[in-house]
Amino acid sequence: MKVPRKIKAYCRHCKKHTEHEVHRIKKAKASELKQGQRRFRRVMRGYRGFPRPKPEGREKASRRVPLKLTCILCKRSHQPPSQRAKKFSIE
Ligand SMILES: [Zn+2]
């Protein structure tokens, strides 16, 4: 999937369609202070180890691509529902 660097989209702060900059969201490193990370560290501490089951079956051919749209007028951003794509590039 190819997405242009700037697209027109609805901005709910400006209440109209405006130009938006497109950014791809990368997964942020988990903060050590977040509840999920604290629970993970606690479970990993004793015996029995990793709290989640191993993935079964084949890997999916496509992956979800989360995008962030930043309004050019008010500089605020929102995240539209993500779509699946085998290949992805911002032009
Ligand atoms: Zn706006």
Side-chain angles (χ1 to χ4, degrees), residues 9-20 70-78:
Y10 182 75
C11 174
R12 67 193 175 115
H13 304 288
C14 303
K15 291 182 178 172
K16 63 183 179 185
H17 275 73
T18 56
E19 285 256 283
H20 281 70
T70 307
C71 175
I72 284 182
L73 293 183
C74 64
K75 302 283 182 196
R76 285 197 263 205
S77 55
H78 67 272

